[in-house]
């Protein structure tokens, strides 16, 4: 099909040409005396994206999923008890990883579409007077349902319970797009990947540890080898890696960090908020509902749209893909067929999103879902004009 594929899944996201060019490199000696400049610059700039001056960032050739494992095995010991909230497919898989790695997971079940409830965490921690719960696991932005939870409030709840559990946060679809404050929120392990807010191809796991997280890697006794952050601490200190790093990805990440920091993280978050609001207004104009229960928790990086019971969201996605070269995100787990998602994160502007909304409208009408062509586009256009600087 001629023209660009419209990639509007919530990851992988569009890779800017600048990043693609930066990755197009010959291989080089990763043990040269000049190589540490690249490593040290990347690791130091990453801390700015995570909102920390006290923490330390690590990059591993892997993915977001691998960073769940990295966070768990570097913070805990076999059989440790952890507390986790399940409110979507990613929190479900985070819990699954903890269970498979031998942790005892106490689960707070929440409706899919609900945000993490800090009061529920506080109540569970307050009951645990013996301090047997070693960590709290939460997903900042549930990509399944388009819900952003308040991590600052989770930390406040942990403090209010006077509990010393570590805070492990999945920020795969938030870090690099939404406001993220590792220091202020007291996050001990923050998890990210390359193919969402960082605008890169998949292939890198990125993780940032606060001071308590860094201390925990020395006392955790989980067996670990490739994901042992102690090796990274040692090698990264000199600007090297414990193995051959993925050079193309490192050069891509260097470029991505240049782009993000030139825009400024506050501006990046504001751009996502403004772009996301246009999508929300379009959905409202279509008279369709979103998966998110509390509209104040709607994500600025992804919107999960519920199709009427008579329709199949997988059919909607397939029409969009085959007929209009538009990739929309699938409903995950139990939401398959019931929900489709528009990803609005990464390298994105108003007109790209208006194109995606126009394609979604044509698709919905083709799928027999009664919306008025142009209604959502017009609502988003009005918002983008009104909110333009
Ligand atoms: C995409 C995603 C993941 C999984 O990351 P991979 O890089 O696909 O392993 C984990 N958590 C959240 C919230 C995500 O959006």
């Amino acid at each position: 099909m001629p023209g660009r594929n419209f990639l509007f899944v919530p990851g992988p996201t569009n890779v800017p040409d600048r990043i693609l060019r930066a990755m197009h490199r010959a291989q080089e000696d990763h043990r040269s005396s000049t190589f540490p400049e690249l490593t040290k610059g990347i690791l130091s700039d990453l801390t700015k994206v995570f909102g920390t001056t006290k923490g330390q960032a690590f990059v591993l050739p892997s993915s977001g999923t691998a960073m769940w494992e990295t966070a768990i095995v570097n913070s805990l010991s076999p059989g440790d008890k952890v507390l986790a909230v399940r409110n979507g497919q990613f929190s479900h898989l985070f819990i699954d990883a903890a269970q498979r790695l031998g942790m005892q997971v106490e689960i707070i079940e929440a409706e899919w579409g609900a945000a993490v409830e800090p009061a529920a965490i506080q109540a569970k921690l307050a009951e645990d007077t013996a301090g047997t719960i070693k960590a709290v696991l939460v997903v900042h932005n549930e990509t399944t349902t388009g819900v952003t939870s308040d991590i600052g409030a989770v930390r406040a709840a942990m403090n209010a319970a006077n509990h010393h559990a570590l805070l492990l946060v999945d920020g795969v679809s938030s870090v690099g797009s939404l406001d993220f404050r590792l220091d202020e929120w007291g996050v001990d392990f923050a998890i990210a990947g390359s193919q969402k807010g960082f605008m890169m191809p998949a292939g890198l796991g990125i993780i940032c540890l606060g001071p308590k997280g860094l201390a925990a890697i020395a006392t955790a006794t989980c067996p670990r080898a490739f994901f042992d952050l102690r090796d990274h601490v040692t090698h990264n200190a000199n600007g090297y890696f414990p193995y051959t790093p993925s050079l193309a990805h490192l050069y891509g990440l260097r470029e991505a960090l240049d782009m993000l920091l030139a825009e400024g993280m506050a501006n990046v978050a504001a751009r996502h908020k403004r772009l996301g609001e246009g999508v929300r207004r379009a959905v409202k104009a279509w008279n369709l509902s979103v998966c998110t229960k509390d509209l104040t928790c709607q994500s600025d990086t992804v919107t999960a749209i519920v199709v009427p019971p008579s329709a199949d969201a997988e059919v909607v996605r397939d029409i969009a893909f085959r007929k209009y070269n538009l990739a929309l995100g699938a409903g995950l787990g139990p939401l398959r067929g019931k929900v489709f998602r528009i990803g609005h994160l990464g390298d994105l502007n108003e007109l790209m999103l208006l194109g995606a909304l126009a394609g979604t409208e044509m698709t919905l009408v083709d799928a027999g879902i009664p919306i008025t062509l142009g209604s959502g586009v017009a609502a988003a256009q009005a918002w983008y004009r009104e909110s333009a600087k």
Side-chain angles (χ1 to χ4, degrees):
M1 227 187 263
R4 290 212 168 198
N5 170 247
F6 265 53
L7 184 61
F8 281 83
V9 298
T13 65
N14 295 290
V15 182
D17 293 344
R18 259 182 79 172
I19 293 181
L20 287 174
R21 281 194 295 272
M23 295 180 75
H24 194 80
R25 299 275 300 213
Q27 291 300 294
E28 66 181 87
D29 177 13
H30 61 287
R31 303 200 195 280
S32 75
S33 62
T34 60
F35 191 75
E37 283 171 38
L38 177 68
T39 312
K40 288 183 172 175
I42 287 173
L43 296 178
S44 135
D45 283 345
L46 271 175
T47 59
K48 299 174 190 161
V49 177
F50 281 90
T52 177
T53 55
K54 301 177 202 147
Q56 189 172 343
F58 303 91
V59 174
L60 290 87
S62 53
S63 81
T65 301
M67 294 304 97
W68 289 331
E69 181 154 345
T70 301
I72 292 163
V73 298
N74 283 283
S75 59
L76 298 166
S77 300
D80 271 354
K81 190 166 167 187
V82 304
L83 179 66
V85 179
R86 176 154 53 198
N87 61 336
Q89 182 71 3
F90 291 103
S91 41
H92 168 68
L93 293 173
F94 195 2
I95 288 167
D96 180 56
Q99 288 170 332
R100 289 201 223 180
L101 290 164
M103 303 306 144
Q104 257 180 277
V105 188
E106 177 160 359
I107 303 170
I108 298 176
E109 298 286 357
E111 202 180 341
W112 286 34
V116 170
E117 215 186 300
I121 294 176
Q122 186 175 335
K124 287 283 181 200
L125 293 179
E127 281 168 22
D128 180 40
T129 46
T132 57
I133 296 172
K134 299 300 176 197
V136 172
L137 279 52
V138 288
V139 173
H140 182 205
N141 188 74
E142 241 313 343
T143 323
T144 326
T145 53
V147 172
T148 306
S149 292
D150 184 345
I151 302 301
V154 170
R155 166 50 68 192
M158 293 171 70
N159 290 347
N162 199 18
H163 200 284
H164 298 293
L166 294 165
L167 178 57
L168 277 48
V169 177
D170 174 337
V172 180
S173 61
S174 62
V175 172
S177 315
L178 306 183
D179 188 26
F180 197 94
R181 305 179 186 202
L182 186 138
D183 283 347
E184 193 181 314
W185 299 342
V187 176
D188 301 307
F189 286 76
I191 290 156
S194 52
Q195 77 277 23
K196 295 182 185 173
F198 286 99
M199 309 173 286
M200 288 178 53
L204 285 185
I206 302 168
I207 189 164
C208 192
L209 277 58
K212 264 176 71 191
L214 288 164
I217 64 180
T219 53
T221 64
C222 276
R224 55 203 133 129
F226 182 78
F227 294 130
D228 195 336
L229 289 179
R230 287 171 296 194
D231 299 328
H232 286 259
V233 169
T234 307
H235 287 81
N236 287 172
N238 303 316
Y240 297 101
F241 289 88
Y243 41 72
T244 319
S246 174
L247 292 168
H249 276 80
L250 290 181
Y251 281 106
L253 183 54
R254 179 62 271 162
E255 197 70 17
L257 288 166
D258 288 345
M259 291 175 74
L260 287 171
L261 297 176
E263 186 176 356
M265 294 320 296
N267 294 329
V268 169
R271 172 167 57 85
H272 282 82
K273 194 175 194 60
R274 181 164 167 270
L275 292 176
E277 179 61 24
V279 176
R280 290 191 282 273
R281 291 189 181 208
V283 176
K284 207 170 162 206
W286 297 333
N287 272 317
L288 293 177
S289 57
V290 290
C291 205
T292 321
K293 303 293 168 209
D294 175 354
L295 296 186
T296 63
C297 301
Q298 282 197 91
S299 168
D300 288 328
T301 58
V302 53
T303 299
I305 300 156
V306 182
V307 298
S310 57
D312 181 350
E314 282 306 290
V315 171
V316 170
R317 279 186 359 99
D318 202 47
I319 294 172
F321 192 74
R322 287 171 180 269
K323 208 165 161 186
Y324 301 115
N325 208 5
L326 167 65
L328 298 170
L332 301 177
L335 299 180
R336 192 172 173 84
K338 296 179 182 156
V339 158
F340 72 89
R341 297 173 298 154
I342 300 179
H344 32 91
L345 72 164
D347 185 43
L348 206 61
N349 61 25
E350 297 90 335
L351 296 192
M352 289 163 84
L353 257 176
L354 288 170
L357 292 172
T360 305
E361 289 188 344
M362 292 192 287
T363 301
L364 290 170
V365 172
D366 292 350
I369 298 171
I371 63 128
T372 306
L373 282 181
S375 59
V377 170
Q381 284 172 321
W383 164 250
Y384 293 144
R385 288 193 65 241
E386 169 192 332
S387 60
K389 281 202 195 105

